[in-house]
Amino acid sequence: MNSEAGSKPLLSALAGEAQTPVPFWYMRQAGRYLPEYRKLRAEAGSFLDLCYAPDLAVEVSLQPLRRYAMDGVILFADILLVPHALGVGLGYAEGEGPQLEALDRRDPLPRYEREKFLAHLSPIFETLRGINAVAPATATVIGFAGAPWTVATYMVEGGGSRDFAKSKSWAFQDPQSFQKLIDLLIDTTTDYLLAQIDAGADTVQIFDSWAGVLLETALRRWSLAPISEIARRIRQKYPDVPVIAFPRGVGTAYEWFARDANISAVSLDSTVALGWAGERLQPHAVLQGNLDPQFLVSGGAAMLEEAERILMALSGRPFVFNLGHGIVPQTPPEHVAALSQFIAAWKT
Ligand code: CP3
């Protein structure tokens, strides 16, 4: 937290102090591209078993730091543990992505029993305490959750989607009842993130991976407003814990998120133009981003040139180097090593 910020460069950047070298971490830095992850996952049996086994989850969270010495260690878990803790059936079929028991708009909403919900998630809090016990003192511990809109889409569609037809028709045709689902997710996600902070998270990131399929009024109502409300409640209890928002794909509406009084930092997807971001966003929020994860698949000079372009554009002010989306499973670990060495050595 704040008293330790001096020794944690990533946390200092998020608190608004420019850092040299530029602190970095990568979305989905733990995962299938690492052989040591695949080994532990096989030992655990399934991805969900791994999430709920604190000893193994601590180890998986730290695996990327041992290789690349990033400035941040992100909790190993998943955004869909929130519906799971509400009693929604969840499974991850090999190669098919998540599958949930789909919520129909005529169904009653899951009932929120706070004690039961937090008890279900207690292994996650134990993982965070474990990470704190073993992570390097300079590493910032990052908690996270999905934003209400993104989590709602998985609940309503029963998994991933191409067109979000069910979620959109519910939200557009019956906004009052859709609001009840979003409100449930605001309450549960806030409690989940506050408990992560209690267990040692220095900062939290809210992933709105599917914000970009909404526009204007719907984007404000279903993405910006719920994220801002969660951040407001966190700020009320923990004024010094920065909240990072990742509204992927929202284009020029990134400016709404950057100007929001409750959001401390915004994570940029790879389509955001750097000059525009420097001018229109950076005066209002700490920026994080935004190398296209496909550069990490191809590697080489093209990857480093692109990373340098990002650093040149945004590193004069408080900035955190990251990707524009998560590392993909095809990524050669050597490319992550080359990028990390480059960022750590880079000076203006
Ligand atoms: O960043 C990290 O290293 C921490 C862990 C983390 C995972 N998921 C682990 C995971 C984080 C931060 C997430 C976030 C997440 N999960 C998001 C938001 C970010 C994004 O990618 O847009 C979303 C939409 C999900 C939901 C989810 N979980 C999907 C769609 C999938 C299947 C597709 C895929 O990428 O594998 C998962 C599974 C998942 N979550 C895996 C991991 C390591 C792979 C599980 C396995 O080992 O097979």
Side-chain angles (χ1 to χ4, degrees):
M1 308 225 323
N2 216 27
S3 54
E4 310 161 16
S7 58
K8 297 191 172 194
L10 170 51
L11 191 56
S12 299
L14 292 171
E17 298 156 34
Q19 303 292 306
T20 314
V22 171
F24 69 99
W25 66 283
Y26 307 121
M27 287 190 259
R28 302 289 294 269
Q29 63 191 21
R32 281 168 298 179
Y33 77 105
L34 288 177
E36 61 269 35
Y37 167 82
R38 296 195 296 269
K39 183 162 172 280
L40 275 195
R41 184 186 184 279
E43 260 175 58
S46 76
F47 171 64
L48 268 182
D49 290 333
L50 183 52
C51 290
Y52 291 123
D55 290 351
L56 298 180
V58 168
E59 179 54 28
V60 169
S61 305
L62 286 161
Q63 281 173 345
L65 269 82
R66 300 215 173 91
R67 280 180 180 251
Y68 316 115
M70 333 26 208
D71 296 284
V73 49
I74 183 162
L75 164 70
F76 188 80
D78 196 67
I79 65 165
L80 300 176
L81 300 187
V82 164
H84 197 222
L86 282 169
V88 176
L90 170 67
Y92 295 81
E94 194 74 59
E96 282 182 48
Q99 281 161 2
L100 296 85
E101 194 187 333
L103 177 68
D104 189 272
R105 58 206 269 196
R106 288 169 297 258
D107 295 338
L109 290 183
R111 248 166 58 86
Y112 183 30
E113 296 171 71
R114 193 166 175 274
E115 304 294 308
K116 216 172 134 188
F117 173 81
L118 291 174
H120 176 106
L121 294 166
S122 62
I124 308 307
F125 311 131
E126 200 179 323
T127 300
L128 275 164
R129 285 189 289 270
I131 291 172
N132 261 285
V134 295
T138 52
T140 296
V141 178
I142 305 162
F144 75 93
W149 164 252
T150 289
V151 175
T153 66
Y154 283 100
M155 292 175 75
V156 173
E157 311 288 341
S161 177
R162 274 178 191 280
D163 55 9
F164 302 89
K166 286 175 73 192
S167 329
K168 284 185 174 181
S169 74
W170 184 354
F172 298 169
Q173 288 172 18
D174 192 357
Q176 277 182 341
S177 88
F178 192 69
Q179 184 73 54
K180 294 204 172 76
L181 171 57
I182 294 293
D183 287 342
L184 170 70
L185 291 169
I186 291 174
D187 291 343
T188 51
T189 303
T190 303
D191 289 343
Y192 181 41
L193 290 175
L194 285 173
Q196 290 186 27
I197 297 166
D198 291 337
D202 294 311
T203 179
V204 292
Q205 176 154 323
I206 302 176
F207 287 84
D208 212 351
S209 305
W210 302 114
V213 304
L214 298 173
L215 280 169
E216 301 283 347
T217 319
L219 179 63
R220 279 191 198 274
R221 179 159 182 187
W222 308 124
S223 173
L224 176 63
I227 294 173
S228 177
E229 176 59 16
I230 294 167
R232 187 188 68 78
R233 294 185 195 177
I234 292 172
R235 187 177 278 260
Q236 219 167 36
K237 183 156 181 214
Y238 289 110
D240 295 327
V241 173
V243 175
I244 310 166
F246 178 45
R248 188 166 72 92
V250 301
T252 53
Y254 258 107
E255 197 167 341
W256 307 344
F257 292 81
R259 284 177 175 269
D260 185 88
N262 302 312
I263 296 168
S264 312
V266 293
S267 199
L268 308 178
D269 68 68
S270 308
T271 67
V272 178
L274 298 173
W276 179 85
E279 247 172 66
R280 302 292 287 268
L281 306 180
Q282 216 166 19
H284 307 294
V286 175
L287 299 186
Q288 171 178 282
N290 70 344
L291 184 74
D292 186 330
Q294 292 300 332
F295 276 108
L296 268 177
V297 178
S298 33
M303 170 181 80
L304 301 183
E305 277 162 26
E306 189 62 16
E308 176 148 51
R309 216 170 63 78
I310 294 169
L311 289 165
M312 297 279 278
L314 299 173
S315 71
R317 284 174 283 180
F319 179 61
V320 174
F321 189 93
N322 204 313
L323 308 177
H325 198 190
I327 293 185
V328 300
Q330 302 77 9
T331 304
E334 316 81 75
H335 294 174
V336 184
L339 177 65
S340 303
Q341 281 156 19
F342 181 79
I343 306 295
W346 195 82
K347 295 200 181 70
T348 31

